[in-house]
Amino acid sequence: MHIAMIGTGYVGLVSGVCFSDFGHEVVCVDKVAAKIDMLKRGEVPIYEPGLDAMLAKNVAAGRLSFTTDIAAAVAGAEAVFIAVGTPTRRGEGHADLTYVHAAAKEIAHALADYAVVVVKSTVPVGTNREVKSVIEKERPGFAFDVASNPEFLREGAAIEDFMRPDRVVVGAETDRARETMRALYRPLSLRETPMVFTTLESAELIKYAANAFLATKITFINEMADLCEKVGGDVQHVARGMGLDGRIGSKFLHAGPGYGGSCFPKDTLALTRTGQQHNAPIRIIETVVEVNDARKRAMTDKIVSAMGDAVAGKKIAVFGVTFKPDTDDMRDAPSLTIVPTLVGGGATVTLCDPQGEKEGGALLPATTWAHDPYEAAKDADAVVIITEWNMFRALDLKRLRGAMRGDVMVDLRNIYRPAEAAAAGFAYTSIGRAAR
Ligand SMILES: NC(=O)c1ccc[n+]([C@@H]2O[C@H](COP(=O)([O-])OP(=O)(O)OC[C@H]3O[C@@H](n4cnc5c(N)ncnc54)[C@H](O)[C@@H]3O)[C@@H](O)[C@H]2O)c1
């Protein structure tokens, strides 16, 4: 099948590359010429493990190409995917649909034959119908369908998630659209991946409900961690004991500095706005948003308190700044709240992250970067772990402590055991556990 993928960000590029790996002919479009130039040279603008090799393989096979020319890409396509960004609208929390509407308009003018316009971007309920109206208005009488096909991949494991999803969700209104979607995902049906066919509205809601639920799970265990600290519990034990209950499950029960990233913060907020707009407030999620925002600030207080309530003149090494490991994505990362506050308090901060410098360089000014954690920790008063990249998971704690002038370690991901940190000479603080 022929596919046009509009938007080559984290979702569009991974989806385009994976669809070409299924055997489809895919043209990826972006309006940022520099991105397309890079892709044409075989360079991948984002960090996503395994993506470069799969991209090269499918370009070589002649199934995958890149262009800024949306008209040429859409003209021969049986399915046109919209995978543009839907960030938070400035100042109020609704999803900004400017890019989706603009893409729909451009697609409308470029359609040559019947095609299914598939909205893969995360969009509030009602948006697929708006996309349909935009195209109908631009091309009255033209035969096309709209389908909602939200994406559930995780950055850092995006290829695996796309190739082996738990389910594929499709909202569609005609048999023709459903058949096209079935054909696009046929390779997955061989693996018996469930396909959930539903209405446009339900498909849109499934995506927000899933993300909001996962964000709630994280926020729940974070609040349990706070309680553990007050009463002498261990949140790791609580999470394990809860998570082994098959009705609950162990995933997304890791206490930490609060969720960040390109999806949970904006999607939880947008869902609360949708609820309010339709007079069906989702109070649980309103609270989750509030608690998570407060948590990022509380993490800075935790660091400052571990350093004797004063960071001015102190040297702090920060390990991990991306919102999670195995991505270069910095959107809404907890480090963006924590690091500027430490710098503002007069600390000298050295950052270490395998992929964070490209984006983080501009976002975290007045800091220095080190490539090696021991180098970052040299003469530091404190080490703070914000993101649990593999390179920080098995540090030689004695060597690390030996490089420092102080003894404070604040481990916001509970990577280390309190006893081993103490044995290496650290004054160790973590999340939801006693110090020793
Ligand atoms: N990042 C994730 O992990 C993830 C996971 C699931 C769903 N989503 C959703 O997928 C959507 C895309 O997210 P992302 O992280 O890939 O965004 P992104 O910002 O990384 O990429 C969007 C791309 O679209 C391009 N674009 C915008 N308008 C265009 C137009 N008219 N024509 C051509 N290109 C255009 C931009 O230049 C950019 O490269 C969002 O709605 C997001 O919520 C993201």
Side-chain angles (χ1 to χ4, degrees), residues 6-12 29-32 35 46 70 83-86 99 102-103 106 120-123 151-155 207 211 262-263 266-267 329 331:
I6 315 303
T8 56
Y10 289 86
V11 162
V29 184
D30 208 285
K31 59 180 183 181
V32 178
K35 248 184 208 185
I46 55 169
I70 190 166
V84 302
T86 49
Y99 304 108
E106 291 171 54
K120 197 165 248 325
S121 301
T122 302
V123 292
E151 182 51 56
F152 299 93
L153 63 77
R154 294 162 301 166
E155 288 174 20
K207 174 64 191 174
N211 270 4
S262 56
C263 292
K266 78 175 175 65
D267 293 348
D329 201 338
R331 287 178 279 188

